[in-house]
Amino acid sequence: AGTYQATATSGTLSGSPVTFSATALAPSALDIVSGNPQSRGITLPLLNPLVVKLRDASNTGIPNETVTFDIITYPTGATGQSLLPTSAVTDANGQAQTALTLGNKQGDYVVRASSNGLNADFTATATSGAPYKVVLTGPSSVAAGEVSTAFTISIKDSFDNLTNATVNTVFSLTTTTTTTGAFYSDSGGTTSITTKTVTSGTSSATFFYKDTATGIPRITVARTQGDVLTVDSSYVDLTVIPGGLS
């Protein structure tokens, strides 16, 4: 910003010297032109570039200024996210752009464009991938004769993101102590079950377990129908301790 002068001089021409003046445009705002917000699957490039415009107070685009792009926020544990380029020079309209490839974790990725002390933030959301595996989680111990806290069956993609079942997906429930252990749909232990379904459009389901004998039974869930999973079973080793000691 400011006024610049240049002088042309000729010793033989009338009117010499001649002074030229020009006032540089002063950046007033860095506006988002397009590309915000967007959403696409994990690890994929966004379909549209992230475009900003550097302008003065009268909305005139300012050319030949450098804009830098940085990923300032991303989901915990995400890797693989990238920008190309990480800096660009504004064109004749004051615009600059970059392309974002999402990382391997679902959630929001925030890209900040910066120039001349001005910022503009884009938000892109990565969605989970296709169902890939089942993961069983639950308590590590329970007292004999008591109903456990909840076990959770979760469907995840290949990058360990929770992902929804595309159809009702049924899992069998088994225990290595078949004569003393039982599964229930409720925490009160009133309705016994042998299967559990993760319904279409959801990513998890819960069940409960009770065993009357002490020991370390292995609780296993295995897909029997529904979404085809590359890793289709999972287990938890549960310690059943004597009653009154939990």
Side-chain angles (χ1 to χ4, degrees):
T3 300
Y4 299 84
Q5 292 185 334
T7 301
T9 303
S10 173
T12 60
L13 296 177
S14 62
S16 176
V18 176
T19 299
F20 301 89
S21 296
T23 300
L25 300 174
S28 176
L30 186 65
D31 296 333
I32 292 175
V33 176
S34 62
N36 187 61
Q38 292 188 68
S39 178
R40 206 175 184 204
I42 54 170
T43 74
L44 295 175
L46 295 181
L47 294 176
N48 299 305
L50 313 181
V51 185
V52 292
K53 176 182 177 180
L54 184 66
R55 64 172 177 84
D56 67 6
S58 64
N59 202 34
T60 300
I62 303 174
N64 303 317
E65 294 287 339
T66 297
V67 178
T68 60
F69 299 95
D70 297 287
I71 303 172
I72 61 170
T73 302
Y74 51 86
T76 301
T79 60
Q81 58 272 13
S82 64
L83 291 167
L84 187 66
T86 55
S87 67
V89 175
T90 54
D91 63 16
N93 297 314
Q95 295 186 9
Q97 67 181 49
T98 191
L100 172 65
T101 296
L102 297 166
N104 63 357
K105 294 297 182 183
Q106 64 182 356
D108 289 342
Y109 294 73
V110 177
V111 175
R112 174 163 291 173
S114 302
S115 182
N116 290 274
L118 303 168
N119 298 319
D121 290 349
F122 295 81
T123 299
T125 301
T127 57
S128 57
Y132 176 83
K133 65 181 178 180
V134 59
V135 176
L136 177 64
T137 56
S140 59
S141 65
V142 65
E146 295 183 6
V147 178
S148 70
T149 55
F151 285 85
T152 301
I153 303 169
S154 299
I155 295 178
K156 295 188 173 185
D157 66 17
S158 60
F159 290 101
D160 213 36
N161 298 292
L162 284 171
T163 192
N164 289 341
T166 62
V167 295
N168 289 344
T169 302
V170 181
F171 296 88
S172 63
L173 310 177
T174 59
T175 174
T176 50
T177 54
T178 56
T179 59
T180 58
F183 299 95
Y184 299 92
S185 62
D186 61 298
S187 61
T190 58
T191 304
S192 62
I193 56 174
T194 57
T195 64
K196 191 67 181 182
T197 299
V198 178
T199 57
S200 177
T202 68
S203 60
S204 63
T206 60
F207 63 88
F208 303 84
Y209 179 76
K210 182 173 70 172
D211 206 316
T212 57
T214 59
I216 307 177
R218 174 163 291 182
I219 309 302
T220 301
V221 298
R223 174 208 169 270
T224 58
Q225 64 185 61
D227 281 321
V228 176
L229 304 175
T230 301
V231 180
D232 62 3
S233 65
S234 182
Y235 67 86
V236 168
D237 288 328
L238 177 69
T239 299
V240 182
I241 62 177
L245 299 182
S246 60

